[in-house]
Amino acid sequence: MSAYARTRGTYLALIEGKSLRRQALRAGVAASALFSATAASAQVTGPLAQISTPFGASLGAFEIIQFAMFLGAMGAALLSAGWLIRDRGKIAEENATLRAKFADLSHTAQRSEALLNLKDQRIVVWDGTDRKPEVVGALPGTSGAPQDRAGFLAFGLWLRADSVTAFERAVTALRERAQSFDLIVETVNGTPLEVQGRTSGSYAIARFVSLEGVQAERAFLKTENRQLSEALATLRGLLDALDMTVWTRDAQGRLDWVNKTYVKAVGAADVAEVVTQGHELFGTQARQRIERERAAQACFHDRLSTVIGGDRHMFEVTDVACAAGSAGVAANVSEIEQVREELQRTVRSHAETLDQLNTAVAIFDTDMKLQFFNQAFAKLWAFDTAFLDTRPSNALLLDRLRSEGKLPEQPEWRRWKDSVLAAYRAVDPQEHWWHLPDGRILRVVANPHPNGGVTWVFENLTEKFDLESRYNTLIRVQGETLDHLAEGVAVFGSDGRIRLSNPAFATLWSLPPNLAVEGTHISAIRAFCETVSDPALWENFVATVTGFADKREGEAGQTELAAGAILSYALVPLPQGQTMLTFVDVTDTVRVERALKDKNEALELADQIKNDFVQHVSYELRSPLTNIIGFTELLQTPSFGELNERQREYLDHIGTSSSVLLTIVNDILDLATVDAGIMELDIDEVSIVDTVAAAADRIGDRLREHNLFLQIDLAPGIGSFRGDANRVRQVLFNLLSNAANYAPEGSTIVLSGRREDDEIVFSVHDDGPGMPKDVLDTVFKRFQPRNNGGRRRGAGLGLSIVKSFVELHGGSVAIHTAANKGTTVVCRFPVEARTFRAAAE
C-alpha cells in the first residue's frame, strides 16, 4: 500500500472515530516522518511517483512535493488533534472541516497526476543535491531511468550523441547558473523532441515533448498554406482578369489588395501605390454609407456612382465584412443603365409611334388583360378611354362589341369567340377577316408573344378594297382609251419586253399580229421596223429600253418612213425601269409646217426687200427735198423780186409740204437705222427744262394754229439725267404733235415731268376722244395711220419712233386712254440710259 493510500485510510478511520486516539497518533507520526523525509531528501519522490489518484493518473513531481508538504502539515495537525481528542465535543466540528479539505486535496492530486502523465512528454527533476534526478512520464522511443547522478548515462541510451552533449551543457548551465534553455534534440530513432529547462527554488526541471506530431501538423499546415497561397494567387489572377473592380480591406478598414481594373480606374501605377497611398474608388459619403449598412446586415449591395476619367459611371457594388476585414466588388453598369434608358426611350418612342398610326393596335398580357392601346384602337371601336384604362379583359371587350352591334353576327357566338381567343394558346400568328355591320372590312392579326399575351392589330382595309375596285375600273377604262387612241403607244419593261401596246402602234408600223403582243422583245420589233425607217433610231430605242444607254432620259423627235409617212415619237422613262414609246402620224402637220415656213421665209425676204427699198428711197428722196426747200426759201427772199399774193401762198404750201415730207423721210431713216441695229445714242447730260422748252417751241405754231394751250408741269428741282438730248426732244415733240392732232380746239395739253426713284417720267395728256381698243392694240405699229377724229392723217410713224427711242434708252412707254376722257402717254427714262442696238418692236 502506497503512502497516499495509507494516509487516506488513516484519515478516514480518524474521521469515523474508530480507535481515534491510537490511529491519530499513528497518522501523526507517519505524516511527520513523511514530511521530514520529504524535506530531508529527494528520495521520497521515488515512492511518491508511484502514488495514483483514484482516477488512475500519476502525479507530477512538483505536485507530489506540494502534496507531501501538505500531508506533513496535515500530520502535525492530526497529532495535535490526537492530543485534543479528549475534547470529543470539538471532534464533530473539525471533522467536517477536515473532510472538505481532504476532498480539495484529493481533487488537486488527481489533476496534478493527470497533467504529469500526459502522453508524449517526460519530466526530469533535479534537487539541489547530487542525487539522481527523478523522471516522470514516458516518450516514444525512450525507456529506463538515469543511471548516474546527473542522469546523462540513461539519456545516452535513447538520445543521439550530439543531442546528449548539447543537453548536458544546457542542464549544467541550468543547475549551476539557473540559465533557462529551449532545445530541439533527436532520439536514436530520429524522433525530434523539444526540451524546456526551468528552475523553481532549488529544483531544476527539464521537460521533454515529442515533436513528431507537431512536425506532421506543421508539414500539413505548410502544405495547406502553400495550397491556399496557390489558390489565392489563382483567385487574384482571375480577379485581375475580370472587368470589375475588386478590393479587400484589413480589420482597420485600410486597403490591402486591389485588382488591375481598380488600379486603372483610380489612375494609379500599380497595386502597391493604391495600397500605400490609399486611393479610393468611391467618395467619402459612399464609403460611409457602405460602412453603415454593412454594420447593420454584414453585407452591402446597391448601386453607387463615381467619376472616372472625368465621366460619371454607375457601379453595382457588393461589399462583405468578416472578422479579418472586408472585401468588395463593383461592376460598371453604366452601359447597362444607358441601354436600360435607351430601352425605356425606345418603348416610349414605340408607344408614341403606335399612337400616331392609323392602324389600331392593342396589347394583352397572359391573363388576357389590356396592357396597351393606341388612339386608333379607341377610335376604331368608339371606346371611352376611361373604360380602356381599367384594363378590361379580351373576352369582355368582345362581349361589349357584340352587345353594341359592332361585330359581325355569328351563328354560334361562343364557339366563334373561343376560336378568336385561341390565339393565346397558339404559337404562330393568326389572321381573321371581319366584315362589320357598318360596311367596314378589317384584317385582324393576332400575334402571340413568346412569354404569353397577344398583340392584336386591326387594319381597316375598307378604303383599300374600294381603291382596288376603282383601280381595276380605271385600268379597264385606260385600256379601252389606249385601244381607241390614234397615237401609237407601247410600254416596255426593264427586260425589254412589251408590257402593253395599243392597236395604233401596230398600225403605224404595219406590225404583224404576232409581234404586237405582250412579251415580245424589242429586238424582234427593231428587226422588222428598221427596214422601213432609220436603223440608228431603233438602235437608240433598244439601248434606252434595255438600260444599256448612258443615261435614261426622255427624248422626242421625228422620223420619216420609207413610204413617206412622218412620225413624231417620244421616248419616256417610267418608274421601275419601264419605258414608254409613243408615235403620232404628223405627216399632214409637217407638210403644212413646211409650207408655212416657206411662206414665212418669203415674207421675211419681202420685208427685207421693203426695208432696203424704203431706206434706199428715203436717202434718194432726201436730197431733192432739201433742194426744194432751199429754192422755196430762196424765192421768198426780196432779192429775187416781188411776188404776188398767190405766188407767196403757193410757196408757203410748197415749203410746208416739203418740211412735212422731210420729217417723214427722216423718221423712216431713223426707223431703218434702228431696225438695222446701227443706231447709237449720244449719251450726255440732258437738261430736262431745256429739252422740254425746245420741244414746246417746235410745236408752238401748230398749237397757235388750232387755238390750243400747252401747260408744262415739271417737279421742282427735277434736274437732269443721262441720255441723248436730240432723241428725247424728238420723243417729246412727237408726243405733243400727236396730242395736238386730237385735242379739241380751245383745250389744254398738259406736259408733266417728275422723278420716281431711278426713273424720269414724262407724260402728255390731251382731252381728245380717246382710243378704241382695236386702235390701242396697233398704235405702236408702223405705217398704221388712223383717222379717229384727228385733224391730219399722218404716216403712222410718230408713236413707233417714240417707242423705239425710249426703249433704246432702256425705258418703257404706256398709254392710258378711255372713251371721251382723253389720252395720256407715259414715257419712263432711266436716270442712267443704256444703249440698245436693237429696238423692241
Side-chain angles (χ1 to χ4, degrees):
M1 180 179 293
S2 64
Y4 172 74
R6 289 193 303 271
T7 304
R8 180 172 177 273
T10 303
Y11 182 65
L12 291 176
L14 176 63
I15 292 175
E16 292 173 358
K18 297 178 181 179
S19 304
L20 291 178
R21 185 181 302 275
R22 185 176 65 255
Q23 296 295 334
L25 290 174
R26 291 179 180 174
V29 173
S32 298
L34 179 60
F35 176 77
S36 300
T38 302
S41 175
Q43 292 179 356
V44 74
T45 58
L48 287 177
Q50 305 300 325
I51 298 176
S52 298
T53 65
F55 302 99
S58 301
L59 297 177
F62 290 114
E63 285 80 3
I64 294 173
I65 295 172
Q66 292 175 1
F67 181 70
M69 292 173 64
F70 180 76
L71 290 180
M74 288 297 297
L78 291 176
L79 181 62
S80 301
W83 294 105
L84 296 176
I85 199 148
R86 292 171 299 177
D87 191 357
R88 302 178 68 90
K90 296 181 180 180
I91 293 300
E93 248 175 75
E94 294 176 358
N95 200 15
T97 302
L98 291 175
R99 187 182 294 275
K101 289 183 179 182
F102 182 77
D104 292 340
L105 178 62
S106 175
H107 177 70
T108 301
Q110 293 173 6
R111 183 183 61 186
S112 298
E113 188 172 359
L115 290 175
L116 287 174
N117 288 282
L118 286 176
K119 184 180 179 182
D120 295 341
Q121 74 172 356
R122 170 171 285 192
I123 299 175
V124 181
V125 181
W126 288 271
D127 59 9
T129 65
D130 292 337
R131 297 177 182 175
K132 293 180 180 180
E134 179 185 359
V135 179
V136 181
L139 286 172
T142 63
S143 60
Q147 298 299 321
D148 59 350
R149 287 187 172 185
F152 298 131
L153 179 59
F155 292 126
L157 298 177
W158 48 277
L159 289 179
R160 290 176 54 179
D162 53 348
S163 297
V164 172
T165 303
F167 177 69
E168 289 178 352
R169 294 175 181 172
V171 170
T172 301
L174 175 67
R175 297 182 64 184
E176 294 179 356
R177 298 186 297 274
Q179 184 176 341
S180 302
F181 66 88
D182 291 286
L183 292 177
I184 301 297
V185 297
E186 290 186 9
T187 65
V188 293
N189 297 327
T191 303
L193 301 175
E194 181 182 7
V195 185
Q196 298 174 349
R198 301 292 186 271
T199 59
S200 177
S202 60
Y203 293 92
I205 304 168
R207 179 170 176 263
F208 293 83
V209 179
S210 174
L211 296 180
E212 185 175 10
V214 174
Q215 278 195 343
E217 184 177 358
R218 287 179 179 175
F220 172 75
L221 292 176
K222 184 176 180 181
T223 302
E224 187 175 6
N225 186 35
R226 184 181 70 254
Q227 293 176 351
L228 290 175
S229 299
E230 293 174 354
L232 179 61
T234 303
L235 179 60
R236 288 185 173 180
L238 174 62
L239 295 178
D240 276 335
L242 292 179
D243 191 20
M244 295 187 294
T245 54
V246 183
W247 66 89
T248 60
R249 300 178 184 274
D250 57 16
Q252 286 72 35
R254 296 187 298 267
L255 290 172
D256 57 8
W257 182 83
V258 296
N259 67 343
K260 294 180 179 179
T261 306
Y262 189 104
V263 175
K264 182 178 179 181
V266 299
D270 52 19
V271 177
E273 180 182 344
V274 175
V275 174
T276 303
Q277 300 184 10
H279 292 300
E280 294 290 348
L281 179 64
F282 297 101
T284 305
Q285 294 182 352
R287 297 198 307 274
Q288 291 175 352
R289 180 188 169 192
I290 293 174
E291 292 294 334
R292 288 195 306 270
E293 297 189 18
R294 197 179 58 193
Q297 54 188 2
C299 179
F300 173 84
H301 183 77
D302 202 351
R303 291 190 174 183
L304 300 175
S305 64
T306 188
V307 176
I308 297 177
D311 297 326
R312 182 162 293 278
H313 294 264
M314 183 67 67
F315 286 87
E316 187 87 23
V317 181
T318 301
D319 195 287
V320 181
C322 60
S326 63
V329 59
N332 193 337
V333 295
S334 300
E335 295 184 0
I336 298 176
E337 287 296 319
Q338 294 176 359
V339 170
R340 180 179 289 108
E341 293 176 359
E342 184 65 26
L343 177 60
Q344 294 175 353
R345 287 194 297 268
T346 302
V347 171
R348 290 195 298 269
S349 176
H350 287 176
E352 294 174 357
T353 302
L354 291 175
D355 217 23
Q356 300 299 321
L357 291 179
N358 292 326
T359 303
V361 178
I363 301 176
F364 293 82
D365 59 11
T366 55
D367 298 328
M368 293 193 295
K369 296 290 185 179
L370 181 63
Q371 295 295 317
F372 171 81
F373 64 93
N374 61 355
Q375 295 299 320
F377 178 79
K379 183 178 179 181
L380 174 66
W381 301 112
F383 280 140
D384 186 11
T385 305
F387 167 69
L388 295 177
D389 289 338
T390 61
R391 298 179 59 192
S393 66
N394 201 343
L396 177 61
L397 288 178
L398 291 177
D399 291 336
R400 178 166 177 172
L401 290 175
R402 182 198 180 197
S403 64
E404 294 178 356
K406 297 178 180 179
L407 289 180
E409 287 295 332
Q410 302 294 332
E412 298 183 12
W413 166 254
R414 187 176 299 278
R415 179 178 297 179
W416 182 85
K417 185 174 72 171
D418 291 341
S419 66
V420 171
L421 297 180
Y424 289 91
R425 302 183 298 274
V427 177
D428 299 325
Q430 297 183 0
E431 182 176 330
H432 308 275
W433 290 90
W434 293 358
H435 297 269
L436 304 185
D438 58 3
R440 291 180 296 177
I441 302 175
L442 299 184
R443 176 176 174 264
V444 182
V445 178
N447 187 17
H449 299 169
N451 297 327
V454 174
T455 297
W456 292 91
V457 179
F458 302 88
E459 186 177 1
N460 191 346
L461 298 180
T462 308
E463 185 177 356
K464 176 184 176 182
F465 280 103
D466 183 49
L467 290 176
E468 185 176 350
S469 176
R470 280 192 269 175
Y471 171 77
N472 294 332
T473 303
L474 180 62
I475 289 298
R476 288 194 297 269
V477 171
Q478 288 180 348
E480 293 295 329
T481 304
L482 285 175
D483 289 343
H484 291 82
L485 282 178
E487 182 179 8
V489 178
V491 177
F492 295 87
S494 59
D495 57 353
R497 299 186 181 278
I498 291 181
R499 291 289 183 265
L500 63 90
S501 64
N502 63 350
F505 174 69
T507 302
L508 289 175
W509 288 98
S510 303
L511 295 175
N514 61 336
L515 284 181
V517 295
E518 184 178 355
T520 303
H521 199 273
I522 190 173
S523 59
I525 299 176
R526 179 187 66 176
F528 179 84
C529 294
E530 65 183 3
T531 59
V532 296
S533 64
D534 185 7
L537 178 68
W538 276 97
E539 184 177 355
N540 180 40
F541 289 166
V542 172
T544 304
V545 168
T546 56
F548 291 104
D550 295 336
K551 293 183 179 178
R552 295 189 73 249
E553 296 180 352
E555 62 176 273
Q558 292 181 354
T559 182
E560 186 170 355
L561 304 184
I566 300 174
L567 300 181
S568 175
Y569 67 87
L571 188 65
V572 182
L574 299 178
Q576 298 181 353
Q578 300 184 98
T579 307
M580 180 176 67
L581 279 174
T582 62
F583 299 92
V584 180
D585 189 351
V586 293
T587 305
D588 296 337
T589 304
V590 171
R591 288 174 181 174
V592 171
E593 181 181 351
R594 289 175 181 175
L596 291 175
K597 187 179 293 184
D598 293 341
K599 184 177 180 180
N600 184 61
E601 291 176 355
L603 291 175
E604 287 180 355
L605 180 60
D607 186 64
Q608 182 64 34
I609 293 173
K610 180 195 72 172
N611 290 336
D612 293 343
F613 172 77
V614 169
Q615 186 176 2
H616 179 71
V617 170
S618 298
Y619 276 109
E620 293 297 330
L621 290 175
R622 199 170 190 178
S623 296
L625 282 175
T626 302
N627 293 333
I628 293 172
I629 293 172
F631 283 119
T632 301
E633 292 177 352
L634 184 61
L635 289 174
Q636 290 177 342
T637 59
S639 60
F640 283 90
E642 290 291 333
L643 299 176
N644 56 34
E645 186 65 27
R646 180 171 291 182
Q647 289 174 338
R648 283 196 298 273
E649 183 180 352
Y650 289 163
L651 287 177
D652 288 338
H653 283 296
I654 292 171
T656 301
S657 299
S658 299
S659 297
V660 172
L661 183 58
L662 182 60
T663 300
I664 293 174
V665 170
N666 287 334
D667 289 343
I668 293 174
L669 289 175
D670 288 339
L671 290 175
T673 305
V674 171
D675 291 342
I678 60 177
M679 176 173 281
E680 294 184 2
L681 298 177
D682 185 11
I683 303 299
D684 200 357
E685 289 292 330
V686 178
S687 175
I688 298 176
V689 175
D690 295 342
T691 303
V692 170
D697 185 60
R698 287 185 61 187
I699 199 66
D701 292 339
R702 291 186 62 182
L703 295 177
R704 286 188 294 273
E705 179 182 357
H706 302 292
N707 193 22
L708 297 174
F709 300 95
L710 177 62
Q711 178 183 347
I712 299 176
D713 182 16
L714 298 179
I718 191 171
S720 61
F721 70 99
R722 292 187 63 79
D724 190 332
N726 292 329
R727 302 304 179 187
V728 174
R729 185 168 54 251
Q730 189 173 355
V731 167
L732 295 178
F733 172 74
N734 286 347
L735 291 177
L736 291 174
S737 297
N738 187 71
N741 190 37
Y742 292 98
E745 291 189 2
S747 63
T748 301
I749 299 173
V750 180
L751 171 60
S752 62
R754 62 188 183 276
R755 184 183 294 268
E756 292 182 0
D757 298 331
D758 294 336
E759 292 181 333
I760 302 297
V761 182
F762 294 104
S763 63
V764 177
H765 175 76
D766 66 81
D767 295 329
M771 297 181 185
K773 188 175 184 304
D774 58 338
V775 174
L776 190 63
D777 292 338
T778 61
V779 69
F780 292 114
K781 292 185 178 296
R782 302 171 187 176
F783 305 106
Q784 295 286 337
R786 299 287 179 181
N787 194 10
N788 198 31
R791 297 182 178 86
R792 296 182 181 181
R793 183 181 176 87
L797 298 176
L799 291 180
S800 298
I801 291 177
V802 168
K803 185 173 184 296
S804 297
F805 287 172
V806 172
E807 291 181 350
L808 279 174
H809 281 79
S812 62
V813 180
I815 297 179
H816 306 285
T817 182
N820 300 321
K821 291 185 179 181
T823 302
T824 302
V825 181
V826 180
C827 298
R828 295 177 178 272
F829 289 90
V831 175
E832 285 288 338
R834 295 174 295 160
T835 300
F836 286 82
R837 293 188 175 274
E841 295 183 359

